[in-house]
Amino acid sequence: MFSLARGFAPIVTRTPITSAVVSARLFSSEGKKLFVGGLSWNTDEDTLKQTFSRFGEVADTKIVTDRLSGKSRGFGFVTFNESSDAQSAMENLNHSELNGRSISVNIAQDRVQREGGYNNRREGGSGGGYRDRRSDNRDGEY
């Protein structure tokens, strides 16, 4: 089976891409990793781990911070050793209060590769600059 990518070059795949295959790729952590949104800027990783460890053994916690300021962006991730523990934590803590804020807890999805942006350009420059008009022979001049 093959599919066409940008630029019309065929990509050979071993199995057809179906919604089941896409779902399996999105949930590669097998439901063990949770997305936690709506966090207070004062919530730290220890508090997050302590809150979620009531439902099972927490393997990892990560609060996402701004690169420049180092300040929390208001969301993070909690990874459990067992998917059943993650499911239980999600059911019990979704829309609950932590450090004075209502948090949302969902199964985390892998980031989808995005195109575009400054570092991901496929084409050359943005145009402009000097152009030698003497070699531009549209009107027969020069």
Side-chain angles (χ1 to χ4, degrees):
M1 191 76 184
F2 72 91
S3 58
L4 295 179
R6 186 175 181 193
F8 308 106
I11 298 174
V12 178
T13 58
R14 298 187 191 283
T15 58
I17 297 177
T18 63
S19 60
V21 172
V22 172
S23 296
R25 289 180 185 166
L26 285 177
F27 299 105
S28 64
S29 61
E30 299 171 15
K32 296 179 183 179
K33 189 173 188 178
L34 298 176
F35 168 84
V36 185
L39 293 174
S40 165
W41 288 345
N42 299 324
T43 302
D44 60 6
E45 290 182 5
D46 290 335
T47 304
L48 204 58
K49 185 172 186 172
Q50 187 177 34
T51 302
F52 280 82
S53 65
R54 296 183 299 173
F55 301 97
E57 190 174 344
V58 174
D60 186 41
T61 58
K62 174 69 177 159
I63 293 180
V64 179
T65 57
D66 182 73
R67 289 183 210 173
L68 298 176
S69 69
K71 202 165 149 180
S72 170
R73 293 187 58 199
F75 67 94
F77 298 93
V78 177
T79 306
F80 283 88
N81 288 330
E82 299 294 327
S83 58
S84 59
D85 296 339
Q87 184 70 31
S88 176
M90 182 180 68
E91 291 170 358
N92 288 291
L93 291 176
N94 192 26
H95 302 296
S96 67
E97 190 172 303
L98 179 63
N99 288 347
R101 298 216 18 159
S102 176
I103 61 172
S104 63
V105 182
N106 300 303
I107 299 291
Q109 297 181 0
D110 290 339
R111 288 182 70 172
V112 177
Q113 184 67 28
R114 297 183 297 177
E115 281 191 31
Y118 179 75
N119 293 326
N120 229 357
R121 287 188 184 169
R122 294 179 185 239
E123 291 96 28
S126 60
Y130 176 77
R131 185 175 95 190
D132 186 1
R133 296 190 187 274
R134 289 178 291 177
S135 62
D136 187 6
N137 200 5
R138 284 184 247 161
D139 299 327
E141 299 176 16
Y142 299 113

